[in-house]
Amino acid sequence: MNNNLIAVFKKIVGETYVLTSKEDLLSYGYDATPGFFHLPATVIIPENTGQVSQVMAIANKEKIPVYVRGAGTNLSAGTVPTQGGIVLLMTRMNRIIEVDTENLVAVAEPGVVVSDLNKIVEQSGLIYPPDPGTVTTATLGGTVAENSGGLRGLKYGVTKHYVMGLEVVLADGRIMNTGGKNVKDVAGYDLTKLFTGAEGTLCVITKIIVKLVPAPETRKSMMAIFNNLDNAGNSIASIIANKIIPATLEIMDNATIRTVEDYAHVGLPVNAEAVLLIEVDGIPAVVEKEAAKVLEVLKANKADEIRVAKDTADRDKIWAARRAALPALAKLRPTTFVEDATVPRSKVPDMIRAINEIAAKYKVRIGTFGHAGDGNMHPTLVCDIRDKEEMERVYKAMDEIFATAIKLGGTLSGEHGIGLGKLRYMEDQFGPVGMEVMRTIKKALDPNGILNPGKLVGEC
Ligand SMILES: Cc1cc2nc3c(=O)[nH]c(=O)nc-3n(C[C@H](O)[C@H](O)[C@H](O)COP(=O)(O)OP(=O)(O)OC[C@H]3O[C@@H](n4cnc5c(N)ncnc54)[C@H](O)[C@@H]3O)c2cc1C
């Protein structure tokens, strides 16, 4: 990028907020996704919407690619600047503008870290439910652009269920607002939903209005151990069929159980085929009733052992096992691919079985855990990206995992997004017409193709 342009950008955002040294740029050439790296030409860190607008207007005129970045924790190479250009880092725009306790909404800038928002709203007895595993680092803007989910997704939904309105800067620098604080608002196309989950391909999100909900008064956690995978699968379906929607209903397969036990020594039975971790929350009387019903269902579906948390320490122990799943698997080999192939919840046992067969067929080590209640599995492939022969087998295994999810009526992504990693499967899910419609939207909003080019819908 020529020095004149760099000087213009420095004038807009301030001298220290335009990075160009190789050492600085290195940190922004990759994100949490293994296997993708490219240096940007510069990193620009704006302080407000006006600055974003000015930067975008110039980038659009000069046809410079722009990669919007929050914390860079995404797992789909969404922030890797694959064609160089500008990384637009949003972490300086990190103000919580308003917590409106009458309308139960909060208004915040995109660089706010999700758990920081929760710390503030909890003071008013409220929560902002989307809780990806990265809540203490991921930004609100990144989670909105990625439409992130998390452990509480089954009962509380994912990010798109909480975004009520946005301020965005379009590719050419124009600023627009969508939605607002109205609970009911059906005017026009739902642009808030369109921009939520657009993965930085349609706009830069500069302000977010989110819905808040009352914090649950109490919660009850339990762990059910199964020596037969089908009994675990039947329990998942049966809990929901009994009209209980737990806040959290997680599963770990045998490979994950063994690895977690080896790593964290939390007392997991290493021979079990599956462990379910369940939490119900709400007002005390309802929680007691729902917990009793869940216990009844687990027993009826032949759970081999059930452990109910008696106090906070017990609860922490149960969830420590789940929290250890990813770090334990990641410790096994140098490279970890956490995928999020998702299937209808009734297909969870079929999916786990298929993943185990795929692991054996390609001799790849895969542990599967995830949000069983909503069918959102995390098959986690551990390998060494430097080993070419192994990686060929790993990529073949991934292809087959995603093909299986689609065959079972599932989706490529329950929460991690598409970015570059899963782009090659998109047409399998959406077909040529679906892809054409999405590319038409992309071209209409970003005719020069500068926003995260080549990602999500591919080259346009
Ligand atoms: C260990 C681990 C656990 C995880 N657990 C979960 C989980 O449980 N659930 C889940 O859903 N995800 C999970 N993730 C994925 C990741 O944390 C989420 O996708 C998160 O929302 C990304 O936030 P971020 O601020 O890091 O965004 P980034 O990674 O910086 O960006 C994500 C995408 O959003 C775009 N973007 C960022 N900011 C903006 C903006 N202001 N305007 C427009 N576009 C923007 C980027 O271009 C990119 O495409 C996990 C990741 C890791 C590494």
Side-chain angles (χ1 to χ4, degrees):
M1 189 172 297
N2 76 47
N3 288 338
N4 290 345
L5 269 177
I6 294 291
V8 174
F9 289 135
K10 283 185 174 171
K11 219 165 166 194
I12 295 170
V13 298
E15 182 88 20
T16 48
Y17 297 107
V18 177
L19 312 181
T20 51
S21 78
K22 180 127 191 249
E23 295 78 7
D24 283 334
L25 298 183
L26 267 175
S27 312
Y28 299 96
Y30 63 91
D31 55 28
T33 325
F36 296 93
F37 176 80
H38 198 287
L39 274 186
T42 181
V43 177
I44 299 177
I45 315 168
E47 188 186 22
N48 56 49
T49 306
Q51 293 180 357
V52 173
S53 167
Q54 289 181 64
V55 170
M56 288 308 298
I58 295 166
N60 191 50
K61 187 162 160 265
E62 302 291 333
K63 298 192 172 57
I64 304 167
V66 177
Y67 302 86
V68 194
R69 183 177 172 115
T73 66
N74 76 87
L75 294 164
S76 51
T79 47
V80 177
T82 40
Q83 298 178 24
I86 298 167
V87 165
L88 195 62
L89 182 61
M90 304 304 288
T91 47
R92 205 174 150 207
M93 291 180 66
N94 62 356
R95 289 178 315 139
I96 295 172
I97 297 163
E98 184 189 3
V99 176
D100 177 347
T101 53
E102 284 181 10
N103 287 305
L104 298 190
V105 300
V107 184
E109 291 184 332
V112 168
V113 169
V114 179
S115 60
D116 289 347
L117 176 65
N118 257 316
K119 274 182 214 146
I120 297 292
V121 304
E122 273 164 14
Q123 291 168 12
S124 305
L126 299 167
I127 54 166
Y128 171 66
D131 60 342
T134 45
V135 274
T136 55
T137 38
T139 63
L140 196 57
T143 54
V144 172
E146 206 64 79
N147 195 2
S148 299
L151 291 183
R152 294 192 282 214
L154 175 59
K155 176 171 177 179
Y156 291 96
V158 298
T159 300
K160 70 178 172 191
H161 300 118
Y162 293 88
V163 182
M164 298 178 74
L166 295 170
E167 176 191 79
V168 304
V169 175
L170 297 173
D172 61 7
R174 284 178 298 164
I175 301 167
M176 71 168 287
N177 290 280
T178 72
K181 290 184 179 179
N182 296 300
V183 173
K184 294 181 87 174
D185 179 358
V186 299
Y189 293 135
D190 193 342
L191 297 178
T192 308
K193 283 269 193 310
L194 176 65
F195 294 140
T196 302
E199 301 185 16
T201 62
L202 299 180
C203 64
V204 183
I205 297 163
T206 47
K207 202 186 288 172
I208 301 153
I209 304 175
V210 293
K211 180 168 89 173
L212 306 171
V213 298
E217 283 177 34
T218 188
R219 31 173 77 100
K220 192 149 209 158
S221 300
M222 58 194 91
M223 177 190 284
I225 293 152
F226 293 88
N227 295 328
N228 177 308
L229 185 59
D230 285 323
N231 291 341
N234 292 339
S235 298
I236 297 163
S238 185
I239 289 169
I240 309 290
N242 274 278
K243 302 179 188 64
I244 309 290
I245 309 290
T248 307
L249 172 44
E250 299 284 303
I251 192 166
M252 294 195 291
D253 76 346
N254 176 264
T256 309
I257 294 168
R258 282 175 185 274
T259 314
V260 168
E261 190 48 30
D262 203 34
Y263 169 82
H265 311 295
V266 281
L268 292 180
V270 290
N271 291 323
E273 276 203 12
V275 159
L276 293 185
L277 307 164
I278 306 153
E279 182 165 281
V280 287
D281 71 1
I283 54 174
V286 174
V287 168
E288 282 308 318
K289 205 172 155 194
E290 289 192 342
K293 188 81 201 170
V294 172
L295 274 176
E296 196 184 306
V297 169
L298 292 170
K299 284 178 191 157
N301 283 284
K302 306 188 187 85
D304 292 279
E305 190 189 332
I306 303 171
R307 299 175 190 172
V308 181
K310 286 185 281 307
D311 49 30
T312 315
D314 267 2
R315 175 179 182 261
D316 289 348
K317 213 170 151 195
I318 286 180
W319 292 105
R322 169 61 180 86
R323 272 195 301 275
L326 186 53
L329 288 164
K331 205 167 156 271
L332 295 175
R333 301 291 308 280
T335 311
T336 311
F337 288 91
V338 191
E339 297 300 352
D340 69 330
T342 299
V343 292
R345 65 171 76 94
S346 59
K347 303 285 185 193
V348 166
D350 291 349
M351 190 65 196
I352 291 182
R353 247 189 300 274
I355 293 168
N356 290 342
E357 280 163 25
I358 293 165
K361 179 173 168 188
Y362 293 105
K363 299 188 180 61
V364 175
R365 196 153 179 188
I366 308 178
T368 301
F369 60 95
H371 319 303
D374 44 41
N376 185 187
M377 298 288 92
H378 289 312
T380 300
L381 298 86
V382 292
C383 51
D384 185 344
I385 205 159
R386 295 162 299 188
D387 182 337
K388 265 188 155 180
E389 184 277 326
E390 182 182 19
M391 290 314 294
E392 270 175 34
R393 287 185 278 116
V394 166
Y395 288 122
K396 278 186 190 152
M398 272 186 211
D399 290 349
E400 223 166 294
I401 288 171
F402 286 111
T404 306
I406 292 175
K407 205 168 73 199
L408 291 173
T411 172
L412 296 174
S413 178
E415 55 183 21
H416 293 168
I418 300 300
L420 267 183
K422 277 168 262 178
L423 184 58
R424 61 187 184 281
Y425 314 118
M426 278 289 274
E427 193 153 333
D428 298 339
Q429 182 167 338
F430 290 94
V433 180
M435 292 309 294
E436 197 188 321
V437 169
M438 285 194 274
R439 287 188 183 125
T440 305
I441 294 170
K442 165 76 175 162
K443 276 190 269 190
L445 287 171
D446 180 16
N448 290 332
I450 60 164
L451 276 168
N452 223 350
K455 311 267 180 79
L456 181 59
V457 292
E459 296 299 336
C460 291

